[in-house]
Amino acid sequence: MRKYQVAVVGGGPAGMMAAIKSAQTLRHPSKSNVVLIEKNDNLGKKLLLTGGGRCNITHDSPINSMVNLFGKNSAFLKPSFFNFDREKLLKFFKFKGLNFKTENNGKIYPVTDDSKTILEILDKYLKDFGVDVVLSKRVMDIEKNKDVFNITIEDCNSSYPTHTSNKIKSNKLILATGGVTYPLTGSNGEGLKFAKKLGHHITPIKPGLVPFKIREQWVKDLSGLKLENVGLNINFNSDDAFKKKISSRGTVLLTHFGLSGPGILDFSRKISLNAKNLQDLFPCEMSLDLMFDLTPEQLKEQLNHDFNQKGKTIIKNYLKILLPKNMVKPFLRVVDVDPQKKLNQISRKEKNRILFNLKNLKLNIISLLPIEKAMVTCGGVSYKEINSKTTESRIVSGLYFAGEIIEFCGPTGGYNLQMAFSTGYNAGSCAANSLNKEN
Ligand SMILES: Cc1cc2nc3c(=O)[nH]c(=O)nc-3n(C[C@H](O)[C@H](O)[C@H](O)COP(=O)(O)OP(=O)(O)OC[C@H]3O[C@@H](n4cnc5c(N)ncnc54)[C@H](O)[C@@H]3O)c2cc1C
């Protein structure tokens, strides 16, 4: 049985950063006193998928607004975000030769457009600081006996499952096992069970950043179509327990099952964060505002003006200036207007229907996709039981948390990776500093 000063469970971005930072901070880093345990045969399986394989690592927005985006109790994240902010995160990678670019929407990616290059650098740091990386070993159980954590691990090499268990001991333990989404990447909620067993409360687990299944066939027929800057609204008022209007805005992607894209993913997160019983909310109706930058009055004025000036233009050609070409026919079917009519033949009722639906196009949501298809988990270890300055548990001393296992979830844009790296860095440095003080 091997004993380490720090054991980190979970080889995602949070766990890798925690292991690197604790090994760097420990007074005797060369003694390989840090172990990183990962059940996959490779580190960072989910990290490789991020940003469509390009890794949207962080965002260009001011640090305070980044933190605020994590919701009403997000002040918890401030110490971690300030200790290891965007600049420090990027510098960490730039030091090993990787540069970054900021896209128009503020999202930051490596110039390589390849998440593998991020993983390679994390791997180099792990080697530089002598972290023992233990792959294909699943942590099965964690106990604390006096001041020592006893970690039971099992071999999970898929080709030759041996199911032999083994023990690792450590003085400090950092849990960075992620959430429950995309379980094939390894994040399947096992870490939450350990946290619970060790006395922590787990806040309700819900999908964050998840697409919608939509009833309307025309949406599915237009799979691949992207709508920019769309307003999204749902008025939940059928259930007494949940009367609320949820609104969002962003890019919407039409898919073979319904709707996705950053606008929808962020919208789904808002719904999840607000709703107590998500499953009770669906099916329900939502509306798209296809002319977000115009008020209904401005749009009415524009339509009146154009209908007067361009009376001989047929409606299906006119609408091409307002809508993507492929969407014009289905839109006219929904508003029940003959596509061949000239603008000067359109009745006032028809014009009002066009106007109304450009601002309030109704769609029926059947459901959210299952939590396995969500990009992040909303809910997890309650922040109330974690010291925000150190990420150490308030219940079990020497136990730290990092990354998505903590209850917070951010919107799309690189915030979740920044959160994983910042909390990982904080957990690693605080666990190691605490040992340095003890020794
Ligand atoms: C498709 C997709 C795209 C995304 N794109 C972005 C993006 O562009 N930008 C962004 O900011 N965020 C993105 N995210 C979210 C981001 O990937 C996560 O928030 C982030 O990976 C969380 O990091 P983590 O280290 O906390 O957990 P994870 O990355 O989930 O890592 C946890 C690790 O713990 C291991 N583990 C779990 N249980 C055990 C156990 N019992 N024993 C041993 N090991 C265990 C798992 O195998 C896993 O490797 C995306 C997510 C998905 C699914």
Side-chain angles (χ1 to χ4, degrees):
M1 185 189 306
R2 182 90 201 255
K3 172 135 184 241
Y4 292 87
Q5 295 199 56
V6 180
V8 182
V9 185
M16 286 187 271
M17 184 56 82
I20 292 164
K21 192 57 199 166
S22 45
Q24 187 193 21
T25 309
L26 280 174
R27 278 219 195 94
H28 308 289
S30 56
K31 276 170 51 190
S32 149
N33 268 327
V34 179
V35 63
L36 174 61
I37 310 162
E38 166 56 52
K39 67 181 166 188
N40 290 321
D41 53 8
N42 270 308
L43 296 171
K45 218 169 165 184
K46 188 176 272 182
L47 175 68
L48 288 178
L49 301 180
T50 58
R54 297 200 298 136
C55 188
N56 171 203
I57 188 167
T58 184
H59 197 276
D60 194 23
S61 51
I63 187 154
N64 270 318
S65 27
M66 269 204 200
V67 171
N68 289 341
L69 285 169
F70 282 82
K72 64 175 191 294
N73 301 311
S74 58
F76 170 88
L77 292 171
K78 261 191 185 170
S80 292
F81 270 65
F82 275 89
N83 274 348
F84 194 61
D85 60 14
R86 173 187 54 242
E87 298 315 322
K88 286 185 187 153
L89 173 64
L90 298 181
K91 209 167 143 196
F92 173 89
F93 289 99
K94 283 178 186 168
F95 188 72
K96 295 267 186 213
L98 183 60
N99 281 315
F100 293 88
K101 59 179 173 180
T102 306
E103 301 202 335
N104 289 340
N105 46 18
K107 294 181 183 178
I108 298 179
Y109 295 85
V111 285
T112 52
D113 277 328
D114 188 353
S115 42
K116 235 187 293 158
T117 52
I118 295 281
L119 184 56
E120 280 164 7
I121 289 180
L122 289 163
D123 215 32
K124 276 189 197 151
Y125 275 111
L126 288 165
K127 289 198 176 90
D128 288 355
F129 289 113
V131 173
D132 255 4
V133 177
V134 173
L135 295 173
S136 302
K137 298 276 192 266
R138 170 184 288 117
V139 171
M140 304 296 290
D141 192 29
I142 298 170
E143 284 173 342
K144 193 176 178 204
N145 196 351
K146 297 197 178 124
D147 282 339
V148 175
F149 289 95
N150 292 314
I151 306 159
T152 308
I153 55 172
E154 186 182 274
D155 199 326
C156 53
N157 186 330
S158 55
S159 351
Y160 302 102
T162 59
H163 295 295
T164 48
S165 65
N166 221 322
K167 294 242 189 246
I168 286 179
K169 280 179 183 261
S170 71
N171 298 103
K172 306 283 174 192
L173 179 78
I174 302 175
L175 265 185
T177 48
V180 306
T181 71
Y182 275 63
L184 288 179
T185 63
S187 346
N188 61 359
E190 284 169 352
L192 294 169
K193 289 184 196 145
F194 305 142
K196 197 168 172 188
K197 193 190 149 204
L198 291 165
H200 284 266
H201 286 99
I202 310 300
T203 62
I205 298 295
K206 297 187 239 173
L209 309 182
V210 68
F212 295 171
K213 266 193 202 171
I214 293 288
R215 182 164 305 140
E216 282 75 7
Q217 185 57 41
W218 68 262
V219 171
K220 301 172 203 171
D221 291 343
L222 290 182
S223 173
L225 183 74
K226 211 192 243 181
L227 305 171
E228 306 280 359
N229 195 25
V230 174
L232 303 159
N233 297 294
I234 301 187
N235 233 330
F236 289 111
N237 56 13
S238 54
D239 178 354
D240 280 348
F242 191 63
K243 283 195 168 139
K244 197 160 193 156
K245 181 174 176 186
I246 311 265
S247 300
S248 196
R249 174 171 87 132
T251 301
V252 172
L253 181 69
L254 279 59
T255 72
H256 64 283
F257 55 80
L259 298 178
S260 189
I264 291 292
L265 300 179
D266 289 336
F267 192 38
S268 75
R269 175 178 159 274
K270 281 193 180 174
I271 297 170
S272 272
L273 290 177
N274 277 285
K276 277 205 180 101
N277 294 313
L278 254 191
Q279 57 281 25
D280 296 347
L281 299 180
F282 302 101
C284 74
E285 200 179 65
M286 69 178 287
S287 69
L288 303 186
D289 180 351
L290 300 166
M291 300 285 122
F292 189 82
D293 287 334
L294 296 180
T295 63
E297 294 71 32
Q298 288 168 329
L299 182 60
K300 188 174 179 184
E301 207 173 295
Q302 182 177 337
L303 289 189
N304 284 341
H305 173 268
D306 292 350
F307 276 49
N308 279 337
Q309 297 292 308
K310 304 175 182 172
K312 291 199 174 134
T313 307
I314 56 173
I315 183 73
K316 80 169 183 180
N317 289 339
Y318 170 69
L319 279 179
K320 284 178 198 160
I321 57 171
L322 300 180
L323 295 174
K325 200 170 93 202
N326 293 347
M327 201 170 155
V328 170
K329 268 196 186 164
F331 179 82
L332 284 168
R333 237 178 289 134
V334 171
V335 296
D336 192 22
V337 171
D338 177 355
Q340 299 302 336
K341 269 195 176 174
K342 293 186 178 145
L343 296 188
N344 60 16
Q345 295 171 322
I346 301 235
S347 70
R348 191 192 303 178
K349 269 193 180 161
E350 286 174 324
K351 190 159 62 172
N352 284 342
R353 283 208 299 276
I354 292 171
L355 174 65
F356 180 82
N357 280 283
L358 284 171
K359 292 292 289 176
N360 298 281
L361 183 64
K362 303 276 183 245
L363 292 177
N364 285 287
I365 307 176
I366 300 170
S367 64
L368 303 180
L369 254 52
I371 193 160
E372 291 77 20
K373 305 270 185 198
M375 286 193 187
V376 288
T377 306
C378 294
V381 178
S382 168
Y383 80 93
K384 292 180 187 160
E385 295 163 353
I386 305 172
N387 180 330
S388 66
K389 292 207 176 95
T390 59
T391 76
E392 186 176 9
S393 161
R394 292 188 189 281
I395 292 173
V396 181
S397 65
L399 172 66
Y400 296 75
F401 294 99
E404 212 179 299
I405 189 170
I406 306 173
E407 64 170 288
F408 296 102
C409 62
T412 59
Y415 305 102
N416 290 296
L417 281 176
Q418 176 74 57
M419 197 270 252
F421 284 123
S422 293
T423 51
Y425 183 97
N426 205 9
S429 70
C430 291
N433 273 323
S434 159
L435 279 167
N436 289 342
K437 271 187 215 146
E438 287 166 22
N439 297 326

